[in-house]
């Protein structure tokens, strides 16, 4: 897949990560999932090479790049068949939020480990009754002396079992208005009152999903991202929670697009290889337009989605949060649709072989569907575009 809009540095990064991905590949990831463990070897090597923290500041052990570079890493690992889903969560969401809004102590404590992969952080926003409506989050934090007490529930939280902390989105009461406003807290999983329950998923993935129950989890004052109350725009504390939240959600959408594009590319490459080699009546099946055209269309769709992903990442990295919000949603939508179609066509191209373990495509059918659903459904993205981009009225 071409990368003509990228710098030489980006092309070199893409080539280097692709080489790492080929050394592990789909078989490695399938084996780790079957063994019920996470892809620790790939994660550790990617961290040692500097790929996991390529978006984090250099002064804290990162690569000094942005979401543009981190998206390249995830896309190329996905294209090799071994995407690291925690890249979306740990460095992209949590690392970005801490780098932009954390106190100096929080940055020194967390960013070096997130950058080299020796520490990971999960992200807790989704709640059973809130769905995609972040304004209905009911996890609340209240003051108790110098501490915070955090109470609530979260669902579909990835990688909690291996995380060193969870970045929890809660709400606190504004002393002036009495209204609840978002705040983000760094919560170690071994804190008293913190309970995790695995969710039984039919999706086969290295990262497990959990429900979290927070029962008066006592946290020190410095667990609040940014520290105490701040009235400065763009800084940390209680008054910056909404800014912090969207600072993490836009990279999440860009990275989900990268995840989807990488998966789609992997499926398409397997199908193209098969279509070139599989011969029926002395002719490779790829010579027939009924096979060739849908594969070509899948390639076009993936390329177009990648362009929007690159635009979204560029806008975010250059500080245009508003522009990045629209583009990141569009990129996630386009990539999810392109991924589902590419995987479906790849399986269809292989026929019965597309459902065998040997070719490893059938498991992607469920995985591709996730890119349509999470972290925000395609319907909610269409709502966003219709309201924010087109100015149409809301139905809710």
């Amino acid at each position: 897949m071409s990368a003509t809009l990228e710098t030489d540095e980006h092309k070199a990064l893409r080539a280097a990560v692709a080489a790492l991905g080929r050394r592990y590949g789909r078989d490695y990831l399938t084996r780790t999932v079957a063994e019920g463990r996470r892809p620790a070897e790939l994660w550790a090597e990617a961290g040692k090479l500097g790929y996991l923290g390529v978006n984090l500041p250099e002064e804290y052990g990162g690569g000094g790049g942005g979401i543009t570079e981190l998206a390249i890493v995830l896309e190329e690992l996905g294209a090799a068949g071994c995407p690291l889903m925690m890249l979306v969560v740990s460095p992209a969401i949590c690392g970005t939020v801490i780098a932009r809004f954390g106190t100096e102590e929080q940055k020194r404590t967390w960013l070096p480990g997130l950058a080299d992969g020796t520490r990971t952080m999960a992200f807790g926003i989704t709640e059973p009754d809130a769905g995609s409506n972040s304004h209905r989050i009911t996890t609340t934090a209240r003051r108790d002396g110098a501490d915070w007490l955090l109470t609530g529930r979260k669902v579909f939280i990835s990688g909690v079992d291996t995380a060193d902390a969870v970045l929890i989105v809660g709400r606190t009461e504004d002393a002036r208005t009495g209204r609840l406003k978002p705040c983000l807290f760094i919560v170690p999983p071994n804190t008293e009152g913190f309970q995790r329950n695995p969710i039984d998923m039919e999706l086969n993935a290295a990262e497990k999903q959990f429900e979290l129950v927070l029962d008066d989890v006592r946290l020190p004052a410095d667990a609040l991202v940014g520290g105490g109350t701040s009235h400065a725009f763009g800084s940390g504390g209680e008054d910056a929670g909404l800014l912090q939240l969207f600072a993490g959600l836009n990279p999440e959408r860009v990275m989900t697009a990268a995840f989807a594009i990488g998966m789609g590319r992997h499926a398409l490459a397997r199908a193209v290889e098969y279509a070139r080699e599989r011969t029926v009546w002395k002719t490779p099946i790829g010579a027939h337009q009924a096979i060739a055209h849908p594969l070509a269309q899948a390639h076009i769709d993936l390329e177009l989605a990648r362009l929007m992903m690159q635009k979204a990442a560029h806008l975010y990295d250059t500080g245009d949060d508003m522009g990045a919000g629209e583009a990141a949603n569009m990129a996630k939508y386009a990539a999810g649709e392109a991924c589902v179609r590419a995987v479906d066509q790849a399986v269809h191209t292989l026929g019965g072989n597309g459902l065998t373990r040997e070719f490893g495509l059938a498991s992607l059918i469920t995985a591709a569907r996730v890119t349509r659903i999470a972290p925000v459904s395609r319907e909610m993205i269409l709502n966003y575009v219709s309201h924010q981009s087109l100015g149409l009225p809301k139905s809710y």
Side-chain angles (χ1 to χ4, degrees):
M1 187 173 279
S2 62
T4 55
L5 296 182
E6 294 178 337
T7 66
D8 289 342
E9 290 80 5
H10 289 160
K11 293 175 184 176
L13 175 64
R14 191 177 288 280
V17 177
L20 172 65
R22 285 193 297 270
R23 287 201 285 109
Y24 285 85
R26 186 70 187 169
D27 290 344
Y28 164 78
L29 193 62
T30 301
R31 187 168 63 253
T32 61
V33 171
E35 293 170 356
R37 62 186 185 90
R38 62 193 182 99
E41 301 86 357
L42 175 55
W43 183 268
E45 186 166 356
K48 193 174 298 182
L49 293 170
Y51 300 148
L52 301 183
V54 71
N55 64 309
L56 299 176
E58 287 183 278
E59 58 265 39
Y60 301 102
I67 295 301
T68 298
E69 288 76 16
L70 194 63
I72 289 173
V73 173
L74 182 54
E75 182 192 338
E76 287 305 320
L77 290 176
C82 51
L84 294 171
M85 197 269 280
M86 286 303 288
L87 270 172
V88 179
V89 181
S90 194
I93 302 175
C94 302
T96 296
V97 168
I98 292 173
R100 283 187 63 174
F101 296 99
T103 64
E104 184 60 32
E105 178 62 26
Q106 288 168 345
K107 292 176 185 179
R108 287 200 309 267
T109 299
W110 288 102
L111 293 182
L114 297 183
D116 66 16
T118 56
R119 304 184 87 180
T120 61
M121 193 176 283
F123 181 62
I125 180 171
T126 307
E127 294 189 359
D129 297 321
S132 298
N133 186 356
S134 60
H135 299 289
R136 288 193 61 191
I137 287 175
T138 59
T139 296
T140 55
R142 68 183 191 276
R143 289 279 194 182
D144 185 44
D147 295 342
W148 292 98
L149 291 177
L150 194 61
T151 299
R153 286 178 65 206
K154 300 291 182 181
V155 289
F156 299 114
I157 310 304
S158 306
V160 179
D161 54 331
T162 59
D164 297 280
V166 184
L167 188 63
I168 295 286
V169 181
R171 304 178 81 184
T172 61
E173 184 177 300
D174 190 315
R176 291 164 295 178
T177 66
R179 296 180 61 183
L180 293 176
K181 56 187 180 180
C183 279
L184 279 70
F185 294 88
I186 301 171
V187 184
N190 60 357
T191 307
E192 186 177 353
F194 184 106
Q195 179 183 341
R196 68 171 193 253
N197 304 311
I199 300 174
D200 192 13
M201 305 288 291
E202 289 199 353
L203 172 69
N204 288 322
E207 298 80 13
K208 308 305 179 188
Q209 301 293 316
F210 293 89
E211 174 201 36
L212 305 184
V213 179
L214 309 166
D215 184 12
D216 276 351
V217 174
R218 182 173 294 276
L219 300 169
D222 60 8
L224 175 67
V225 172
T229 302
S230 170
H231 300 285
F233 181 84
S235 61
E238 293 177 64
D239 293 332
L242 198 58
L243 294 173
Q244 295 170 5
L245 182 56
F246 285 102
L249 295 184
N250 285 335
E252 181 183 36
R253 283 152 174 70
V254 174
M255 292 295 288
T256 302
F259 185 87
I261 292 166
M263 188 189 309
R265 283 179 53 197
H266 175 74
L268 181 61
R270 298 302 301 268
V272 168
E273 180 184 23
Y274 188 88
R276 284 175 179 155
E277 297 174 356
R278 172 70 168 150
T279 299
V280 179
W281 293 301
K282 300 182 180 180
T283 304
I285 62 172
H288 301 297
Q289 292 176 354
I291 298 293
H293 284 186
L295 295 177
Q297 185 177 1
H299 176 68
I300 291 169
D301 290 344
L302 289 167
E303 281 283 334
L304 292 173
R306 182 203 259 180
L307 282 172
M308 182 54 77
M309 179 187 73
Q310 290 173 325
K311 175 181 178 179
H314 173 76
L315 289 171
Y316 185 83
D317 289 339
T318 53
D320 185 355
D321 286 343
M322 289 298 294
E326 178 186 59
N329 275 290
M330 290 180 175
K332 188 270 175 188
Y333 180 97
E337 296 301 295
C339 176
V340 168
R341 288 194 293 266
V343 168
D344 182 72
Q345 191 56 45
V347 172
H348 199 67
T349 299
L350 271 68
N353 283 328
L355 300 176
T356 64
R357 291 190 187 278
E358 177 186 355
F359 288 92
L361 290 176
S363 61
L364 297 183
I365 297 173
T366 308
R369 176 66 59 174
V370 173
T371 67
R372 271 183 171 172
I373 297 170
V376 58
S377 70
R378 57 181 181 171
E379 288 75 21
M380 286 306 296
I381 291 177
L382 292 174
N383 281 338
Y384 178 95
V385 172
S386 63
H387 305 151
Q388 302 296 323
S389 304
L390 304 182
L392 294 172
K394 287 186 176 182
S395 63
Y396 55 89

